[in-house]
Amino acid sequence: MPTAVASWPDKLQMMTEHALQYCRDCGLSMNFAKIKATIFTRRWNKEKLSLVVNGHKIEQVNFFIYLGILLDKNGSWKLAQNKLETQVSKAIYQMKS
């Protein structure tokens, strides 16, 4: 499913339904187990999204990996940096041995 970015939950719900219809029109299907949602904000936020697509409730997560980059709900790059540091350390160790 393409990435959908919206400033309001109802708009995100509408965009998700349009993506589902697009997939149907093209003869494709969605893997609802892989669809995730998050709210990006620097403020402390307990808000829960209530997205439902084709009867499947979409899981809300605190972070996810998109195109190999770890995206955090707070807009922090710390998790991504830690992951990259670990990968680089492993690669350097393999080159030395």
Side-chain angles (χ1 to χ4, degrees):
M1 181 175 146
T3 303
V5 177
S7 53
W8 301 103
D10 56 338
K11 186 172 181 182
L12 183 58
Q13 178 70 50
M14 182 185 69
M15 292 171 70
T16 307
E17 290 169 5
H18 284 287
L20 177 62
Q21 187 59 47
Y22 174 81
C23 288
R24 285 181 179 156
D25 292 345
C26 294
L28 303 171
S29 63
M30 287 186 172
N31 184 344
F32 297 104
K34 290 187 175 184
I35 299 173
K36 309 290 182 213
T38 192
I39 298 174
F40 290 103
T41 180
R42 290 189 182 270
R43 294 179 288 152
W44 187 72
N45 190 350
K46 280 185 149 181
E47 184 179 345
K48 292 286 184 187
L49 289 174
S50 178
L51 291 174
V52 178
V53 180
N54 201 33
H56 298 272
K57 185 164 175 31
I58 305 303
E59 178 186 4
Q60 184 173 345
V61 296
N62 293 328
F63 64 88
F64 60 95
I65 297 173
Y66 182 71
L67 297 176
I69 302 295
L70 203 142
L71 301 173
D72 179 71
K73 72 174 186 168
N74 299 321
S76 169
W77 292 99
K78 191 66 178 165
L79 290 174
Q81 287 173 330
N82 291 343
K83 182 182 175 211
L84 287 171
E85 286 173 5
T86 300
Q87 290 174 334
V88 168
S89 294
K90 286 179 182 179
I92 290 172
Y93 177 77
Q94 288 179 349
M95 289 184 343
K96 287 182 177 181
S97 23

